[in-house]
Amino acid sequence: MEEFISEAEPIVEDLKSMTSDIEEKLRELILYYGEDPNIIKSEEFFEIISTFSNSFEKAQIEIHEARERALKRQRHQEMQIKVRA
């Protein structure tokens, strides 16, 4: 049993250290995005980021489609002018 403890103890300490590093980086990230790390939970924060990302992607698609429709409409109008001339 002591052999297990002597092997596991440094691993557990490394995990604790990594956990602390991740928590600090998450705190910095939450602050960077203007949220209060004392109030918002990590799950809520990442949900906000996910929602924003999905909305942004959807908006990009909608803008692209609107541009395509406008270009198509412009081409159609130009063809109409050529036909009339």
Side-chain angles (χ1 to χ4, degrees):
M1 183 69 166
E2 286 190 30
E3 183 181 336
F4 171 76
I5 292 173
S6 65
E7 289 179 21
E9 193 169 19
I11 295 170
V12 170
E13 290 304 315
D14 286 346
L15 290 172
K16 286 180 182 178
S17 176
M18 286 195 279
T19 300
S20 293
D21 289 346
I22 289 171
E23 287 173 348
E24 180 58 31
K25 287 181 172 92
L26 176 60
R27 183 176 181 76
E28 291 172 7
L29 183 65
I30 290 171
L31 283 170
Y32 177 81
Y33 281 99
E35 298 291 339
D36 185 346
N38 297 317
I39 296 174
I40 193 167
K41 295 179 181 177
S42 61
E43 295 85 3
E44 295 171 306
F45 174 74
F46 287 115
E47 182 63 30
I48 291 169
I49 298 296
S50 176
T51 300
F52 172 81
S53 178
N54 291 336
S55 297
F56 185 78
E57 186 176 342
K58 183 179 176 185
Q60 284 182 312
I61 291 168
E62 289 172 359
I63 289 169
H64 176 74
E65 289 172 349
R67 284 182 180 155
E68 289 293 319
R69 285 191 304 272
L71 185 58
K72 191 174 183 179
R73 190 170 37 251
Q74 181 182 2
R75 287 181 189 146
H76 181 71
Q77 289 172 348
E78 288 172 356
M79 292 297 282
Q80 292 291 329
I81 292 170
K82 287 180 182 179
V83 168
R84 291 180 189 159

